[in-house]
Amino acid sequence: MTRPIVGLALLALLILPNWAIAQEVLPRPEQPFKGHIGRTAKDSKPDFPKPVHAPKDAPNVLLIMTDDVGFGASTTFGGPVPTPTMDRLAQAGLRYTQFHTTALCSPTRAALLSGRNHHSAATGVVMEIGTGYPGYNSLMPKSTGTFAEVLKQNGYNTAWYGKNHNVPDWHTSQAGPYDLWPTGLGFEYFYGFIGADSNGWNPPLVEGTKPIEPPHGAKDYHLDKDLADHAIARIRLLNAVAPDKPWLQYYAPGSSHAPHHAPKDWIAKFKGRFDQGWDKLREETFERQKKVGIIPPNTQLTPRPKEIPAWDSLTADQKKVYARMMEVYAAALSHADHEIGRVVDAIEEMGKLDNTLVIYIQGDNGASAEGTPQGLLNEFAILNNIPEDFNQILARMDEIGSPMTYNHYPVGWAHAMDTPFQWTKQIASHFGGTRNGLVISWPARIKDKGGIRTQFHHVIDIAPTILEAAGLSMPAELNGVPQKPLEGVSMVYTFDDAKAPSTHRTQYFEMFVNRAIYNDGWVAATAPAVAPWVMGQSPGIEAYKWELYNVAEDFSQAVNLADKQPDKLRELQDLFWIEAAKYNVLPLDNSKVERFDVRIRPSLTRGRGVFTYFDGMTRIPEGTAPDLKNKSFKIGADVDIPAKGANGVIATQGGRFNGWGFYLLDGKPVFHYNLVGVRRFNIAGKEKLAPGKHVILVDFKYEGGGIGKGGTVTLTVDGKTVATGRIDRTYAFRVSLDETLDIGMDTGTPASEDYKVPFAFTGKLNRVLIQLGDSPLTPEDEEQIRRAKAAITMSQ
């Protein structure tokens, strides 16, 4: 019986582009032995299987994607932030002025890797808020294989550096599974971080699938330099070992995403550069964009939304603080571009740049307006709906961008970085959320140096472009799974023809119910019903009013034609619902806070009442750790104290910017609760622990009555109370995005400034038990306790 895939392969051969190698099943079938086998080697003829080679003259590929950068941020697209590396590549290649993303991080990156729409790749939202629907469950289907996997199986070396925000929240621990980590998506090597955010000074590094620690306390360490160092070293190694073998390097720094961390000398370069404010800066950027031909002469500058204050309405202190926040952001982005430049320089020094396809995407969505109207010292404040006092921000202004803050800039700057468009990141209905600068350089192939391309394209077009450039195609079957057709189109046709009509004629957009449909120069879009920096509001779908734009004539979506052309609007609305049904966009859902709840997704912790950990178990992500939020809990430790006494961390979760720590300091037990840096609660015993065996218990009684409420902590040693204290308020939604549960030491940043990481426990930590809630223990829980032989009194 003929396998179904044979039919698919035959069909693919009929429609395959003439540039592509017709290899419709990967991996390739085993090669037959073509030698001869006799009784001995002397009367036999050997035959090795032929190695796989990339197509002749296939280019190296350097794919760059920065994070949270608006269309009007970089100098390459008329913005105020110097990006000389991108400028240089644009002068040697092409700038694309109508390139689009999905308006949010994980969705854009899934679409980039797969060449399919983000909902087709089950990534309708970020990993931390996935829900149980095909377009939203965060589990990229095996039927949406990546271009990296295709390149790898066709003779390329492949590597990924920097941000990976495409691992489901409950897959991020050492228990895996690892099939959706970079090494399972076609990348032979990974060096970077898993998740949305990363501290630039103390990143949660991963190499391959192994968590590793940065050099804590190193004077000059910064993640961007580290990423560039690793990329350069690997490219040099490949060139030395296999100079004729092409490679793919996917380079994805996260530094322009909050927290904005940059070296002091880079921040100093921008002092005073943004004192004119966001309104004036937007006008200046707009004029530069017109002058250099990035936008058409008749483009209109869209007005500032009423939700964003005018710069002139601010106080002198507000202007001073907000200008500093923008200086730090500019430093972070410019510094990242500088480190990218080091990678490009290294490729050029090897003589490989001429045949290297460089694709530089400036941002995975528009600029981020998640920093609230006044900006943030600590991003976890807004994630837990806890306001920061502006006077505290003012007092700590000089710390912004340093290891002591997890900072974000005000929404006014995000709007300015998206010039000339409306809105920002998350708002998929408008180009402020989805229009990003793109540069493609390939000196051996692109002859229109410094050219501008205006064809409409989308991030799903990158995978087909890379495959065509390499002379390859997406197979009909990949690793035993029939593949969905690519939903993007190749952009190679634009390399030689600036005036060629766009081959990407229809594209839907949707994020948190903000939605739009593009079709042949027209866009129907919904007006946002809630601003992206507002948490906890989920208005009904009827609150999103439709607008209509002729973007073939109205570059910036400035003129709403909905009232003048209702029939055209209805035509596009109907088309949106067709595309939504086709690509798994339904059901629409604009909730955010509710979806951060780890309990709504598959879990390694669900149903467990007691967790047992041992010394040295670190880097356990929040999605796979006991959930201590909005409930009572107990943390017990069985320890042996040596004759000279002991100090160090027993257990901790989170760090400097949110979390808790349980440790011995000067030999005394301490429980420290850090409420997003706004409040800190310290419950500490007064006596040192004597040498010998002890059981130390933290017993937190949650007062209930809603989420984020307070409670009382009782700290006991061997059953005797040594300290009590009240925690007035708790974090309700998220401990961290980049820090973890650690036992016996602290990774990342310290939960309390009373110690420095790693502050490893210097006694003997036999085990740590964590009990959730006050419900009776199950027989399995009781057995764990008996087997642990920990004399912990668990009051019911």
Side-chain angles (χ1 to χ4, degrees):
M1 182 175 178
T2 303
R3 296 174 66 205
I5 193 62
V6 175
L8 285 174
L10 290 174
L11 176 61
L13 286 171
L14 294 175
I15 63 174
L16 199 66
N18 57 16
W19 45 260
I21 288 180
Q23 179 58 51
E24 287 309 303
V25 177
L26 290 175
R28 290 168 169 78
E30 291 186 9
Q31 298 175 27
F33 178 69
K34 295 181 179 180
H36 169 71
I37 298 178
R39 289 188 176 186
T40 68
K42 288 183 177 180
D43 56 6
S44 301
K45 181 181 178 182
D47 177 55
F48 277 99
K50 299 297 185 290
V52 174
H53 293 289
K56 189 176 185 298
D57 297 326
N60 300 309
V61 180
L62 174 62
L63 174 61
I64 302 157
M65 175 173 274
T66 58
D67 206 344
D68 284 4
V69 184
F71 181 82
S74 70
T75 48
T76 316
F77 288 83
V81 181
T83 50
T85 302
M86 194 180 203
D87 294 347
R88 165 190 171 189
L89 292 168
Q91 291 163 7
L94 302 170
R95 280 180 290 183
Y96 288 79
T97 63
Q98 295 195 58
F99 179 79
H100 302 82
T101 55
T102 70
L104 202 61
C105 173
S106 303
T108 290
R109 294 162 192 268
L112 174 74
L113 292 169
S114 69
R116 284 88 167 185
N117 286 299
H118 53 303
H119 294 91
S120 295
T123 314
V125 287
V126 292
M127 298 290 103
E128 294 81 2
I129 58 175
T131 52
Y133 300 101
Y136 298 89
N137 64 34
S138 73
L139 296 159
M140 272 184 71
K142 305 303 182 191
S143 59
T144 58
T146 70
F147 71 86
E149 182 69 25
V150 177
L151 292 185
K152 183 181 76 171
Q153 295 197 34
N154 278 285
Y156 272 74
N157 285 123
T158 59
W160 180 341
Y161 311 88
K163 177 170 177 172
N164 172 10
H165 199 191
N166 294 97
V167 178
D169 203 26
W170 67 98
H171 285 201
T172 56
S173 78
Q174 294 88 332
Y178 294 115
D179 57 312
L180 294 175
W181 287 53
T183 51
L185 295 176
F187 293 89
E188 298 166 323
Y189 179 77
F190 172 69
Y191 185 85
F193 63 95
I194 307 292
D197 293 13
S198 174
N199 189 315
W201 308 109
N202 297 282
L205 289 172
V206 172
E207 188 167 28
T209 59
K210 181 182 178 181
I212 61 174
E213 289 302 296
H216 294 297
K219 182 179 179 182
D220 296 323
Y221 181 84
H222 191 280
L223 177 57
D224 279 345
K225 183 178 184 300
D226 192 14
L227 295 177
D229 286 346
H230 276 76
I232 292 168
R234 186 160 185 83
I235 294 169
R236 285 174 174 167
L237 175 64
L238 295 175
N239 188 54
V241 174
D244 297 327
K245 188 175 183 181
W247 43 252
L248 161 68
Q249 311 291 327
Y250 174 30
Y251 191 92
S255 46
S256 44
H257 186 294
H260 305 145
H261 286 162
K264 279 185 179 180
D265 55 335
W266 281 81
I267 296 173
K269 294 178 181 182
F270 293 94
K271 185 172 179 58
R273 296 273 291 272
F274 301 101
D275 290 352
Q276 71 273 44
W278 47 65
D279 291 322
K280 182 64 174 176
L281 180 67
R282 192 167 159 83
E283 294 171 359
E284 293 169 354
T285 297
F286 181 67
E287 291 304 319
R288 282 194 299 268
Q289 289 173 332
K290 286 199 296 186
K291 183 177 180 180
V292 299
I294 292 298
I295 63 177
N298 66 342
T299 303
Q300 297 184 43
L301 180 61
T302 56
R304 172 177 27 83
K306 64 181 183 302
E307 292 88 348
I308 300 175
W311 182 262
D312 289 343
S313 71
L314 304 177
T315 67
D317 282 343
Q318 287 174 321
K319 291 179 179 179
K320 180 169 61 174
V321 171
Y322 300 168
R324 164 72 178 189
M325 289 174 165
M326 181 60 207
E327 291 166 9
V328 173
Y329 174 81
L333 177 57
S334 194
H335 180 246
D337 180 85
H338 168 77
E339 295 299 333
I340 293 167
R342 291 179 53 225
V343 177
V344 174
D345 288 344
I347 297 169
E348 186 172 36
E349 289 168 5
M350 297 174 211
K352 298 290 187 178
L353 190 59
D354 191 57
N355 196 33
T356 296
L357 172 65
V358 183
I359 299 175
Y360 193 150
I361 306 170
Q362 195 67 274
D364 53 350
N365 41 247
S368 170
E370 295 150 339
T372 81
Q374 75 168 14
L376 295 164
L377 279 177
N378 183 356
E379 185 185 23
F380 292 103
I382 186 65
L383 289 179
N384 287 284
N385 201 27
I386 298 172
E388 290 185 324
D389 183 347
F390 175 77
N391 290 325
Q392 285 293 317
I393 300 175
L394 176 64
R396 297 180 60 192
M397 184 180 77
D398 291 342
E399 296 178 31
I400 295 170
S402 77
M404 301 306 295
T405 62
Y406 213 88
N407 49 295
H408 204 332
Y409 62 9
V411 299
W413 292 122
H415 183 240
M417 294 301 99
D418 290 326
T419 303
F421 304 114
Q422 302 182 56
W423 293 105
T424 61
K425 175 184 177 182
Q426 294 190 21
I427 308 300
S429 52
H430 290 74
F431 291 155
T434 62
R435 182 70 62 84
N436 286 89
L438 167 67
V439 164
I440 298 180
S441 170
W442 185 7
R445 174 66 175 78
I446 295 173
K447 304 308 178 186
D448 184 15
K449 313 297 185 186
I452 292 176
R453 296 295 183 265
T454 60
Q455 290 91 346
F456 183 98
H457 279 288
H458 188 270
V459 68
I460 60 175
D461 300 333
I462 296 298
T465 302
I466 291 173
L467 290 176
E468 178 173 354
L472 299 169
S473 66
M474 181 63 66
E477 181 183 288
L478 183 60
N479 296 330
V481 180
Q483 293 295 292
K484 293 180 181 179
L486 291 175
E487 293 163 4
V489 299
S490 171
M491 302 168 64
V492 170
Y493 76 96
T494 66
F495 292 177
D496 298 323
D497 191 349
K499 296 182 179 179
S502 175
T503 58
H504 196 129
R505 298 180 57 189
T506 302
Q507 179 62 48
Y508 82 88
F509 298 87
E510 191 279 334
M511 195 65 61
F512 301 123
V513 187
N514 296 300
R515 55 205 185 279
I517 185 76
Y518 168 88
N519 183 247
D520 286 341
W522 287 86
V523 170
T526 57
V530 60
W533 56 89
V534 176
M535 301 288 282
Q537 293 185 18
S538 304
I541 192 172
E542 68 281 352
Y544 295 76
K545 305 302 181 185
W546 283 89
E547 301 170 346
L548 178 68
Y549 299 99
N550 179 5
V551 295
E553 302 295 334
D554 177 16
F555 184 85
S556 61
Q557 293 179 307
V559 182
N560 179 10
L561 302 173
D563 291 339
K564 294 182 178 180
Q565 299 201 42
D567 292 343
K568 185 66 176 179
L569 176 60
R570 171 55 60 188
E571 171 194 330
L572 291 175
Q573 287 173 312
D574 291 343
L575 181 58
F576 172 82
W577 292 112
I578 292 170
E579 297 291 289
K582 180 179 179 182
Y583 294 116
N584 291 335
V585 180
L586 306 178
L588 299 181
D589 185 357
N590 61 3
S591 64
K592 296 178 185 175
V593 170
E594 299 86 346
R595 288 194 275 178
F596 267 109
D597 188 345
V598 297
R599 295 173 297 177
I600 70 173
R601 286 174 288 282
S603 172
L604 297 177
T605 62
R606 183 172 293 120
R608 298 170 61 187
V610 171
F611 300 78
T612 302
Y613 298 104
F614 296 90
D615 194 6
M617 293 183 176
T618 61
R619 298 286 294 274
I620 301 171
E622 186 170 352
T624 53
D627 182 8
L628 307 187
K629 300 183 292 295
N630 308 310
K631 61 175 68 69
S632 298
F633 61 83
K634 299 181 181 74
I635 308 172
D638 174 6
V639 303
D640 289 320
I641 304 300
K644 62 181 179 180
N647 288 302
V649 167
I650 295 169
T652 183
Q653 187 179 30
R656 174 172 288 144
F657 307 106
N658 200 34
W660 56 266
F662 179 24
Y663 51 91
L664 297 186
L665 184 67
D666 192 26
K668 304 170 187 176
V670 179
F671 182 72
H672 183 88
Y673 193 90
N674 172 11
L675 182 65
V676 300
V678 171
R679 300 273 312 271
R680 290 178 179 268
F681 305 89
N682 213 59
I683 296 90
K686 295 182 180 179
E687 302 293 333
K688 293 184 178 182
L689 268 63
K693 185 178 181 64
H694 297 282
V695 173
I696 316 168
L697 178 67
V698 173
D699 187 351
F700 175 70
K701 296 294 186 184
Y702 188 63
E703 66 184 15
I707 60 175
K709 302 299 182 181
T712 302
V713 173
T714 302
L715 185 61
T716 66
V717 177
D718 301 328
K720 297 179 181 179
T721 299
V722 298
T724 60
R726 176 170 171 74
I727 297 174
D728 295 336
R729 184 174 180 178
T730 59
Y731 39 79
F733 302 117
R734 195 82 188 186
V735 181
S736 181
L737 293 174
D738 65 344
E739 299 213 44
T740 55
L741 175 67
D742 300 320
I743 307 298
M745 63 182 293
D746 195 350
T747 65
T749 61
S752 166
E753 299 305 325
D754 288 339
Y755 65 85
K756 296 183 183 299
V757 296
F759 199 43
F761 190 69
T762 58
K764 183 180 180 183
L765 181 58
N766 297 310
R767 60 189 51 80
V768 172
L769 270 67
I770 299 177
Q771 180 194 351
L772 303 181
D774 288 320
S775 59
L777 301 178
T778 66
E780 291 79 8
D781 295 336
E782 296 284 6
E783 179 62 19
Q784 277 200 60
I785 295 172
R786 283 194 293 271
R787 289 167 61 188
K789 298 179 181 179
I792 301 175
T793 301
M794 297 286 192
S795 59
Q796 305 300 313

